[in-house]
């Protein structure tokens, strides 16, 4: 995912379920400051919530990085969810609706993908997961 | 765990009014307390007011849906009221539509729905 010039954002450590709330609140505040519409702020907060919960449930700990970015003159907000947990064995299955080893309709990853514009998952078994998602402005 | 959501009783209806963002633990706590209160008060209906929430993600939605089904199995009914427009929009895009859960615009409409039977 090629992105020019990050503009400074926020990194939230995710260790317990209360951190899921602070991460999504932080994302919403940054999105609001950048001038995202209210529906887009809600979408961004919801995606962060899904990604942060995956960290708590499957890896135990990790971090969420929230960064305003610009590509070809267009502003976006990039969310990186990073952990060093067990990784995802069958990514294709994890990205399919309704597959969950947790308890959330199995919509965590596929749902977050649907509500963001760009979505990319890099994972290796035993090494963790890095999800990079971007919501572009005015789309 | 401290109980962050007050559950009030009005006639034979219980009203759980969520005041602030809830962690997953808080939501599970609420789930248990609502079912206990329904049994204890022999409530005919439960209203969960989510108007203070600006995110209802897949876990929150799943928990509300589970709550509604458990309450229904007890012979009572649960109505979710006050889902904010932006929250509703996000839920639909996320893929959560709660087809089996009763919803109403606000507390008054929720009470009317329960009274109508």
């Amino acid at each position: 995912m090629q992105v020019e010039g990050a503009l400074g954002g926020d990194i939230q450590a995710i260790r317990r379920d209360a951190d899921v709330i602070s991460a999504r609140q932080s994302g919403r505040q940054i999105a609001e400051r950048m001038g995202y519409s209210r529906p887009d702020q809600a979408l961004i907060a919801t995606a962060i919530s899904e990604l942060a919960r995956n960290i708590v449930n499957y890896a135990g700990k990790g971090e969420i990085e929230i960064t305003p970015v610009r590509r070809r003159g267009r502003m976006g907000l990039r969310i990186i969810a990073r952990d060093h947990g067990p990784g995802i064995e069958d990514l294709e299955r994890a990205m399919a609706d309704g597959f969950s080893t947790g308890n959330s309709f199995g919509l965590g990853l596929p749902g977050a993908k649907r509500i963001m514009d760009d979505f990319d998952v890099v994972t290796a078994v035993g090494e963790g997961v890095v999800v990079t998602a971007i919501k572009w402005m005015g789309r | 765990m401290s109980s962050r959501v007050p559950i009030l009783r009005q006639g034979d209806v219980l009203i759980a009014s969520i005041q602030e963002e809830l962690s997953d633990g808080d939501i599970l706590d609420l789930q248990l307390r609502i079912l206990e209160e329904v049994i204890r008060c022999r409530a005919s209906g439960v209203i969960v007011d989510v108007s203070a929430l600006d995110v209802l993600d897949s876990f929150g939605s799943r928990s509300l849906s589970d709550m509604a089904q458990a309450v229904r199995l007890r012979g009572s009914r649960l109505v979710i009221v006050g889902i904010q427009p932006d929250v509703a929009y996000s839920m639909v895009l996320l893929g959560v539509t709660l087809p089996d859960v009763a919803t109403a615009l606000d507390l008054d409409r929720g009470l009317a729905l329960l009274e109508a039977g």
Side-chain angles (χ1 to χ4, degrees):
Chain A
M1 213 173 285
Q2 213 39 47
V3 173
E4 309 149 16
L7 309 173
D10 185 31
I11 296 186
Q12 295 269 331
I14 307 294
R15 293 188 202 87
R16 55 201 174 90
D17 64 358
D19 297 333
V20 176
I21 299 176
S22 14
R24 72 187 182 213
Q25 283 173 344
S26 163
R28 177 186 284 274
Q29 280 161 13
I30 293 171
E32 189 182 2
R33 278 204 302 273
M34 289 172 70
Y36 276 93
S37 67
R38 281 191 53 92
D40 277 354
Q41 292 172 33
L43 291 177
I44 288 165
T46 305
I48 293 174
S49 199
E50 300 295 342
L51 298 176
R53 169 168 310 100
N54 277 352
I55 292 176
V56 175
N57 286 357
Y58 299 110
K61 60 179 182 177
E63 62 186 22
I64 297 272
E65 190 181 315
I66 304 161
T67 317
V69 292
R70 185 191 294 274
R71 182 161 72 191
R72 290 188 217 104
R74 189 168 197 192
M75 293 296 298
L77 190 58
R78 184 183 66 198
I79 314 298
I80 300 180
R82 194 181 285 117
D83 70 61
H84 300 286
I88 302 171
E89 205 163 313
D90 188 344
L91 185 58
E92 202 177 320
R93 218 171 147 208
M95 289 303 301
D97 274 346
F99 175 75
S100 174
T101 54
N103 186 23
S104 55
F105 288 136
L107 291 172
L109 279 180
K113 180 177 181 178
R114 265 197 299 276
I115 61 185
M116 299 295 278
D117 295 318
D118 297 0
F119 196 87
D120 178 58
V121 185
V122 177
T123 183
V125 172
E127 287 175 29
V129 181
V130 180
V131 179
T132 305
I134 301 181
K135 186 83 193 164
W136 296 105
M137 225 175 215
R139 190 185 278 199
Chain B
M1 175 167 318
S2 64
S3 298
R4 307 179 73 152
V5 181
I7 300 178
L8 310 173
R9 190 173 172 181
Q10 181 173 325
D12 59 356
V13 172
L14 297 175
I15 301 170
S17 184
I18 298 174
Q19 315 278 337
E20 55 182 338
E21 295 282 330
L22 300 180
S23 72
D24 293 1
D26 297 328
I27 292 175
L28 293 174
D29 175 62
L30 175 65
Q31 216 172 24
L32 278 178
R33 284 174 51 234
I34 281 185
L35 202 56
E36 281 168 9
E37 286 296 291
V38 164
I39 292 167
R40 198 177 64 82
C41 303
R42 305 177 67 82
S44 68
V46 183
I47 290 180
V48 180
D49 185 347
V50 298
S51 52
L53 294 185
D54 55 14
V55 170
L56 251 176
D57 62 11
S58 59
F59 180 85
S61 305
R62 169 65 181 258
S63 306
L64 285 173
S65 170
D66 288 352
M67 241 182 263
Q69 306 314 326
V71 164
R72 187 182 58 80
L73 288 173
R74 267 299 300 179
S76 181
R77 287 185 305 146
L78 185 144
V79 182
I80 297 169
V81 304
I83 296 179
Q84 292 298 311
D86 300 335
V87 174
Y89 173 65
S90 301
M91 288 169 71
V92 171
L93 287 194
L94 195 61
V96 177
T97 51
L98 302 182
D100 301 323
V101 181
T103 55
L105 183 66
D106 55 24
L107 191 54
D108 288 343
R109 299 276 177 94
L111 285 167
L113 189 66
L114 286 175
E115 276 165 21

